[in-house]
Amino acid sequence: MREEISEIEAVRDRPARSAILLNRCITRAHSTADAREALVGLGYDVLGTAVPRLEVYAQSFGMPIRRTGIDVWRHVARDLIERCFPAWSERT
């Protein structure tokens, strides 16, 4: 993916931004922290929120996610907003 982004840099007015969202993570598993650390070590921007592995997501294909799964996406949205508009997120 990094190579794809670098290929389009020449045609953009501003550098492209990207971030990694860890998903299907097992709560409190060392593998999530290890993956985050490895990716950050390679220079990737990793979102603070990790999407847990829940059946609600697996069973929601083509349908809305029920209330039990919505909060994590609010946190993902907050992470993205903070990266795009840091001054805005300090005011809220």
Side-chain angles (χ1 to χ4, degrees):
M1 195 56 153
R2 189 178 267 180
E3 290 176 17
E4 298 294 326
I5 291 171
S6 67
E7 284 183 19
I8 63 166
E9 291 290 321
V11 297
R12 294 182 50 91
D13 294 337
R14 295 180 290 174
R17 296 182 62 192
S18 64
I20 293 180
L21 171 63
L22 298 174
N23 63 70
R24 295 188 50 87
C25 297
I26 299 171
T27 305
R28 296 186 207 93
H30 291 287
S31 58
T32 301
D34 292 345
R36 180 182 308 283
E37 183 179 329
L39 290 165
V40 168
L42 291 170
Y44 289 97
D45 184 14
V46 182
L47 296 179
T49 302
V51 178
R53 186 178 77 188
L54 296 175
E55 282 300 307
V56 68
Y57 301 128
Q59 295 173 359
S60 69
F61 181 79
M63 298 172 17
I65 296 172
R66 300 285 177 237
R67 187 86 181 126
T68 57
I70 287 178
D71 286 340
V72 70
W73 297 106
R74 287 190 179 119
H75 292 288
V76 170
R78 170 67 66 179
D79 285 348
L80 292 170
I81 289 168
E82 287 174 356
R83 281 171 169 68
C84 295
F85 306 103
W88 179 84
S89 62
E90 291 172 7
R91 290 184 281 168
T92 61

